[in-house]
Amino acid sequence: MFITNVFYYLVHTGELRSIIQWKIWHTPVHERNEEEETPSLKKCFYFLDMTSRSFSTVIQELHPELLVPIALFYLVLRGLDTVEDDMTIALEEKDPILRNFHSILEKQGWSYDGCAITEKDRELLVQFGNVTEEFTKLKPAYKTIIKDICEKMGNGMADFCKKSDNNVNIVNTVEDYDLYCHYVAGLVGNGLTRMFVESKLANEALASRPQLQESMGLFLQKTNIIRDVKEDLDDKRRFWPTEIWSKYVTNFEDLFKPENKTAALDCNSEMVLNSLRHADQCLFYLAGIKEQSVFNFAAIPQCMAIATLDRVFRNPDIFKKNVKITKGEACKVMMESTQNLKLVCDTFLRYTRSIHSKNTARDPNFLKISIACGKIEQFIESIFPTQNPAAVLAPGDSSKLTGRAADDAARAARDAQQAKEAKEDTFYLILTVFGVVIFISAIMVFVAYMVGARFDLAFQELRKGNFMKIKSPEQLEALKKGEL
Amino acid sequence: MGVSILVTGGTGFLGSLIVTALHEKHPDWHITILDLQPPPSQQTPNLNINYVEGDVTKAQDILQTVQSIAPTVIVHTAGLVPPLRNRFSRTLEARVLDINVNGTANMLAAARQTRSVTAFVWTGSCTAVIDNFRHSYRNIDESYPTSAQDSLIYGESKAKAEKLVLAANDFDDDGDADVGGEQLATCALRLSVLFGPGDYQLIPSVHACIAKFETPFVIGNGTNLWDVSYAPNMADAHVLAVENLLSPTKTAAGEAIFIQNNEPIPFRDFCLEVWKNFGHYPPFEVRLPEGLAWLAGWVAELGTWAVGTPYTLSTGSVMDACAVRYASGEKARRLLGYEPRVGIEEGIRLSCAEYAQRLKANELEKQNSKEKEQLRRDRTQEDLSWRLWRFLE
């Protein structure tokens, strides 16, 4: 494994460079103050490290105001998710836990050891007292938000569990799919937004845009659902909506058979298309965040998602194994998503174009994907225009513009002037080079002529089509005759 | 009370769609079609749709015709789009300017001298702004200047005519309504490239590439976005503009508005989708970098100059294929409430189905009459020469 990695990065030096740069140059915006933390809070951060692969670091770099609330929010939802995911718990036992999880938060010392030993986050629930203890210390506003989301999510999950117990396909229609993703991810977007706004670290207008909050969650969740299709199948779970896959295969398992590769890829592209439609709204949302650590926290997962979406798009490997972006690519994306919205947009555009380049006419979703990609590009262009009206005006025409546009015009004119000068310089440079070449050639020709070169004969031969050296004595003879 | 509305060019591809859209939404409105040719006879006769013959370039005749009809609204959609082989040259300059600019001036003059006319909706074109190869046009809005200089002849004619149309507007929303009882409200709709059922330019010429084995060639990087629109949506926009100029607020008066399907895609993808509808997929792909293609176009032009036959590939068509040209639909949404009713995917499907039928009908015709066969060949020849890259209305 190590050896293959070494070889991989020897070939992909650009990715290696990203890893090194991330390690050296990334400095957290804020850092935890571990000395002031209580033992139970330390334990909470320990669980955060244990349970989340990607979120732990970004959460720990959050603004102090949001650090603990969001870390606890994450652990609470992780606890809920662990109960929901565990297929060994009977429905009669699971249902009340899910539906009452929000009131459990206020119960000191609550713990649960009913999860299967194989469940990787089992320990979090066994020692859940640490979470509930810290939860009581939160500001009431954050408590209300976390409890509210917890209640909605628990009920939603319980509804879906009930459905799945009666029916294997828990997600039938695309509407179901959106609803399921709403419960497990859209609500997280809503809760986080309310916390951002509560802390005044984001524009309060975000609170009144439920569609944008929803997209933030759905874009991540849907992308993960596409990526994890094989893993979920192995765990006997299925989140791809029947309405979509049944267009391509009769049984869901057929997607994984090599003989159905084309159908499976077309199905894959419809799933990607469904996810891609949220991308522009995610960018819109990110524009509303004011504080750097919150921006990083929100932007990193989104950029990872678009990179993952590109990786999985029309990739047959997703039906065989778990496909992931490489560590090098992840570092590059993290670096780009921890600075500003412009760089995030550039990242989105890069991956959008990459998705577009893999689009193929034989795919039934071909034009829809093309339109979705075009829409993302147009949206990015609308928030970061790469040109302005002044740039297309003829010089001296700027009288038609006023205010900022006039400034732009002046700048454009100045740029144009500089470009023109640069062009002239290049022109003169080329002229000089060619002048010298021609001059030297002329001298050489003149010298050759003075010492007796017969250019007339050379021309004659060229006109006869003799471009090569004369080789045979006969030809030489013929030439001599001609000369005489 | 029914509104009387005059549609110039109402027999043409877009004009007939506008007449249909107006009639569908307002069956009580009285529509008069003014065109050089009468509508096809098989069209069902309707009491509320009349036809008069007329030529917009003849100022005196037009004035008399308009005065005798005395419409409330004029939709001026008659115009000339140079065929592709003339798109990049100035060979048709006089004719294009005469029809597009003088024709518009004549219609405006007739409108002002006819007291009944209060609204004037003009079919403009995005080329008034973007028919200039020196620039890219990404998500442009109406603050971009029109490009009368350095433009191709079509764009130049549309820019000049648009200026006349907007200058003729004398509706002012803070002015007294009773000062001029016969105020004229005008607006210009800048349409993008369009296609649709009955399309004799874009779909046929893209389809023709299949027979010519041209489908594998991709010019440029194939990522340049471009607006293309389903023609019946454009007709809807005309109805909305007429309604707007008849409303008390007339928010669109004196405005130029970009109208398109709001689904910018690369030109290459549009072609692939058309070919797909005819069951054709390029067997392989050859990517020609823009510079190389431009050089090939230049050589082709040189050949044309030497041999004298009209060229198909040219530097102009290469730059057309590589240009980035799409506009924002924000103003149309805000002022007119315009949203395209039919998406381009569905539009392409409908248009290709209709064109396939037309081809079939042509095939039958060919079997029936040998004389007609010759005629058809001429027509196809013309279509062929239309060639790939880009078309207007």
Side-chain angles (χ1 to χ4, degrees), chain A residues 298-400:
Chain A
I300 289 178
Q302 301 297 330
C303 288
M304 291 293 190
I306 188 91
T308 306
L309 210 54
D310 172 42
R311 177 53 55 92
V312 299
F313 179 59
R314 298 197 68 80
N315 182 348
D317 286 349
I318 67 158
F319 299 107
K320 295 180 202 138
K321 58 183 187 199
N322 198 334
V323 173
K324 273 185 183 165
I325 53 174
T326 61
K327 182 134 196 267
E329 203 171 359
C331 285
K332 183 167 192 255
V333 167
M334 284 198 287
M335 223 146 33
E336 287 165 335
S337 47
T338 48
Q339 293 173 58
N340 54 52
L341 187 61
K342 174 79 177 78
L343 271 177
V344 168
C345 284
D346 289 348
T347 306
F348 265 65
L349 191 58
R350 189 174 71 240
Y351 286 112
T352 304
R353 289 218 167 130
S354 171
I355 289 172
H356 185 239
S357 70
K358 287 184 251 175
N359 197 13
T360 151
R362 286 184 188 271
D363 180 348
N365 308 294
F366 168 70
L367 201 67
K368 290 195 186 83
I369 286 170
S370 182
I371 293 168
C373 290
K375 198 178 166 202
I376 297 172
E377 184 164 343
Q378 183 171 27
F379 180 77
I380 292 174
E381 187 67 35
S382 75
I383 49 175
F384 292 110
T386 52
Q387 60 179 141
N388 62 56
V392 302
L393 273 184
D397 248 6
S398 50
S399 54
K400 287 183 195 161

Side-chain angles (χ1 to χ4, degrees), chain A residues 77-78 80-87 94 98 149 152-164 168-189 214 217-226 228 232 236-242 271 274 278:
Chain A
L77 299 184
R78 170 58 69 178
L80 197 59
D81 193 44
T82 307
V83 175
E84 186 226 4
D85 269 3
D86 193 331
M87 296 301 176
K94 198 188 261 187
L98 292 178
I149 298 299
K152 287 176 183 160
M153 189 183 285
N155 279 311
M157 283 174 166
D159 290 347
F160 269 93
C161 283
K162 209 178 232 167
K163 259 198 197 170
S164 71
V168 203
N169 304 322
I170 37 171
V171 184
N172 282 312
T173 59
V174 174
E175 205 182 321
D176 283 349
Y177 182 52
D178 281 345
L179 187 65
Y180 176 76
C181 293
H182 165 75
Y183 285 136
V184 299
L187 284 172
V188 185
E214 186 81 6
L218 264 56
F219 186 58
L220 303 187
Q221 187 66 25
K222 288 180 170 182
T223 303
N224 287 347
I225 285 176
I226 301 169
D228 298 338
D232 285 336
K236 302 199 167 37
R237 275 174 312 197
R238 163 189 313 178
F239 298 108
W240 289 26
T242 316
M271 290 297 290
N274 183 294
H278 298 286

Side-chain angles (χ1 to χ4, degrees), chain A residues 195-213:
Chain A
M195 287 162 109
F196 297 161
V197 172
E198 179 64 37
S199 66
K200 302 202 170 14
L201 298 178
N203 190 328
E204 59 186 54
L206 285 181
S208 53
R209 299 296 289 262
Q211 197 50 53
L212 298 185
Q213 308 166 5

Side-chain angles (χ1 to χ4, degrees), chain A residues 59-347:
Chain A
I59 291 179
Q60 294 191 40
E61 291 180 13
L62 270 171
H63 190 278
E65 169 73 16
L66 286 175
L67 173 66
V68 180
I70 289 184
L72 292 181
F73 188 34
Y74 182 86
L75 289 175
V76 167
L77 299 184
R78 170 58 69 178
L80 197 59
D81 193 44
T82 307
V83 175
E84 186 226 4
D85 269 3
D86 193 331
M87 296 301 176
T88 62
I89 307 174
L91 186 66
E92 303 78 55
E93 192 183 339
K94 198 188 261 187
D95 192 82
I97 301 178
L98 292 178
R99 290 190 197 278
N100 297 315
F101 212 76
H102 63 285
S103 48
I104 286 169
L105 298 178
E106 305 264 32
K107 285 186 196 158
Q108 287 309 307
W110 183 88
S111 74
Y112 181 71
D113 57 1
C115 283
I117 304 293
T118 49
E119 192 62 53
K120 60 180 173 8
D121 298 332
R122 183 178 190 275
E123 202 50 30
L124 170 68
L125 287 164
V126 173
Q127 302 189 39
F128 207 70
N130 294 304
V131 179
T132 51
E133 189 181 336
E134 287 303 316
F135 182 79
T136 51
K137 299 177 195 161
L138 287 182
K139 280 187 190 168
Y142 296 131
K143 272 202 234 179
T144 314
I145 297 169
I146 294 176
K147 277 176 74 179
D148 180 43
I149 298 299
C150 196
E151 182 176 5
K152 287 176 183 160
M153 189 183 285
N155 279 311
M157 283 174 166
D159 290 347
F160 269 93
C161 283
K162 209 178 232 167
K163 259 198 197 170
S164 71
D165 214 46
N166 306 331
N167 187 346
V168 203
N169 304 322
I170 37 171
V171 184
N172 282 312
T173 59
V174 174
E175 205 182 321
D176 283 349
Y177 182 52
D178 281 345
L179 187 65
Y180 176 76
C181 293
H182 165 75
Y183 285 136
V184 299
L187 284 172
V188 185
N190 176 261
L192 287 174
T193 310
R194 283 157 68 185
M195 287 162 109
F196 297 161
V197 172
E198 179 64 37
S199 66
K200 302 202 170 14
L201 298 178
N203 190 328
E204 59 186 54
L206 285 181
S208 53
R209 299 296 289 262
Q211 197 50 53
L212 298 185
Q213 308 166 5
E214 186 81 6
S215 277
M216 287 291 280
L218 264 56
F219 186 58
L220 303 187
Q221 187 66 25
K222 288 180 170 182
T223 303
N224 287 347
I225 285 176
I226 301 169
R227 186 195 59 194
D228 298 338
V229 65
K230 176 77 170 88
E231 199 182 307
D232 285 336
L233 180 86
D234 294 343
D235 291 350
K236 302 199 167 37
R237 275 174 312 197
R238 163 189 313 178
F239 298 108
W240 289 26
T242 316
E243 190 182 338
I244 290 179
W245 61 255
S246 64
K247 285 188 213 165
Y248 305 92
V249 286
T250 349
N251 299 306
F252 186 67
E253 291 74 18
D254 293 346
L255 286 175
F256 302 85
K257 293 179 182 160
E259 64 267 31
N260 296 326
K261 189 178 161 190
T262 317
L265 287 183
D266 291 347
C267 183
N268 158 309
S269 80
E270 186 168 343
M271 290 297 290
V272 171
L273 170 68
N274 183 294
S275 178
L276 205 55
R277 286 186 175 143
H278 298 286
D280 57 339
Q281 298 205 320
C282 295
L283 294 174
F284 196 173
Y285 181 99
L286 291 175
I289 295 176
K290 295 178 192 163
E291 203 265 346
Q292 186 68 47
S293 72
V294 178
F295 180 84
N296 297 355
F297 172 69
I300 289 178
Q302 301 297 330
C303 288
M304 291 293 190
I306 188 91
T308 306
L309 210 54
D310 172 42
R311 177 53 55 92
V312 299
F313 179 59
R314 298 197 68 80
N315 182 348
D317 286 349
I318 67 158
F319 299 107
K320 295 180 202 138
K321 58 183 187 199
N322 198 334
V323 173
K324 273 185 183 165
I325 53 174
T326 61
K327 182 134 196 267
E329 203 171 359
C331 285
K332 183 167 192 255
V333 167
M334 284 198 287
M335 223 146 33
E336 287 165 335
S337 47
T338 48
Q339 293 173 58
N340 54 52
L341 187 61
K342 174 79 177 78
L343 271 177
V344 168
C345 284
D346 289 348
T347 306

